[in-house]
Amino acid sequence: VHGGTFWAMKVGILTEYNHEDLELQYPLLRFREEGAITFLIGPKAATAYAGKHGYPSKSDVGIDDITADDLDVLIVPGGWAPDYWRRDQRFLKLVVDCNAKGKIIGAICHGPWLLISAKIVRGRNATCFVAIKDDLENAGALYTDAEVVQDDNLITSRTIGDLPAFCKAIIAHPKWVK
C-alpha cells in the first residue's frame, strides 16, 4: 500500500535460535505487504538462526548495531528464543529504550518473557501464551486472555492463531493514524 499510514515504517523483528518460525515470518511478510522497511535483528549480523521447526532466518543487523532510534516498531516473536534474549543485557536495553521512546513493541506467545525481564509490564494490560501467564502476572501485568491486548505502545498476543489480529493491531495503531 504505497503511501499508506504504515508505509516506510521501520520494523525490527528479533531472531535467534529456536524462535517460533511463523511468529517471525508472518509479521515479516505482512508488514512488507504494507510497505514497511523490515529487518531481522539477531545476536550477530548476517547469521542464520534456525527456528523451532528448522526454518532459517538470517539476521540483517546485530544487536550491537541497532538502537531504539533506528526503529518505529520492535517485534518479539515467541518460541524458546525469548528465554535467551531475556538473559542478554543488549536485548533488554533495546526493549527498555524502545519503551521509553514510545516505540511500538509487539510481543507474541513467549515473547512477553523479554518484556518481563526488561521490567516494562508492571501495571500494564497484556496477554501471552498460557504457560507464562503466571510469570506475566507475577511481574505486575494485568493479564487478559484475548487474541490481542493493546496498552498504549505495547501490543501482545497469545499464539500463532492470533497472528492476523496481532498484525492488524500494529498496523492500525493510533500512532499511525493522522
Side-chain angles (χ1 to χ4, degrees), residues 149-160:
V149 174
Q150 181 176 325
D151 188 319
D152 191 30
N153 66 315
L154 185 62
I155 298 172
T156 53
S157 283
R158 303 168 301 189
T159 65
I160 290 169

Side-chain angles (χ1 to χ4, degrees), residues 98-175:
C98 282
N99 188 59
K101 292 176 181 277
K103 307 293 180 154
I104 304 302
I105 301 172
I108 187 167
C109 193
H110 284 74
W113 259 348
L114 179 56
L115 311 184
I116 290 166
S117 293
K119 298 181 178 25
I120 66 164
V121 297
R122 180 168 301 285
R124 300 185 75 181
N125 297 297
T127 195
C128 59
F129 184 67
V130 67
I132 66 165
K133 171 187 175 279
D134 290 346
D135 298 337
L136 197 59
E137 289 178 326
N138 288 337
L142 307 169
Y143 173 82
T144 301
D145 182 17
E147 66 182 356
V148 65
V149 174
Q150 181 176 325
D151 188 319
D152 191 30
N153 66 315
L154 185 62
I155 298 172
T156 53
S157 283
R158 303 168 301 189
T159 65
I160 290 169
D162 298 334
L163 280 165
F166 177 69
C167 290
K168 283 179 186 174
I170 292 166
I171 292 165
H173 191 280
K175 184 173 186 168

Side-chain angles (χ1 to χ4, degrees), residues 21-61:
D21 304 76
L22 277 175
E23 293 169 358
L24 182 148
Q25 294 296 332
Y26 187 104
L28 178 71
L29 298 174
R30 182 66 191 94
F31 297 147
R32 282 182 183 167
E33 286 180 332
E34 291 295 322
I37 300 163
T38 59
F39 47 93
L40 300 180
I41 305 165
K44 295 180 183 175
T47 303
Y49 297 97
K52 280 176 51 180
H53 306 288
Y55 295 99
S57 64
K58 187 174 183 180
S59 58
D60 298 299
V61 296

